[in-house]
């Protein structure tokens, strides 16, 4: 399966705290090889970003440590 098919058939999910309106959310999907797809909930037709497992792990670690808090 090529990447475009994998992204089309991916199991996209968003945070439970995103609310029922679905706006202002980032969706993620696990992909082959440990990669992660990222897309804007408000524009699912646009090409998603694809990052490696290491990049995703570093981002999640930063979130947990509050590195992106305002």
């Amino acid at each position: 399966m090529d990447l475009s098919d994998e992204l089309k058939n991916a199991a996209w999910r968003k945070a439970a705290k995103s609310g029922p309106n679905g706006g202002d959310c980032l969706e993620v999907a696990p992909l082959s090889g440990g990669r992660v797809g990222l897309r804007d909930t408000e524009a699912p037709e646009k090409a998603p970003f694809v990052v490696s497992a290491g990049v995703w792990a570093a981002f999640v670690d930063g979130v947990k440590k509050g590195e992106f808090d305002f």
Side-chain angles (χ1 to χ4, degrees), residues 24-68:
D24 299 327
C25 300
L26 183 68
E27 295 180 329
V28 299
L31 303 171
S32 63
R35 297 173 299 173
V36 176
L38 306 162
R39 71 179 184 185
D40 183 345
T41 300
E42 294 178 339
E45 72 284 353
K46 291 187 178 180
F49 291 100
V50 176
V51 298
S52 69
V55 168
W56 180 248
F59 173 73
V60 170
D61 185 56
V63 169
K64 289 178 179 178
K65 291 177 178 175
E67 292 178 13
F68 305 105

Side-chain angles (χ1 to χ4, degrees), residues 1-10 12 31-32 35-37 48-51:
M1 177 182 308
D2 71 2
L3 182 58
S4 63
D5 287 335
E6 188 174 5
L7 289 166
K8 189 181 338 174
N9 296 311
W12 294 98
L31 303 171
S32 63
R35 297 173 299 173
V36 176
F49 291 100
V50 176
V51 298

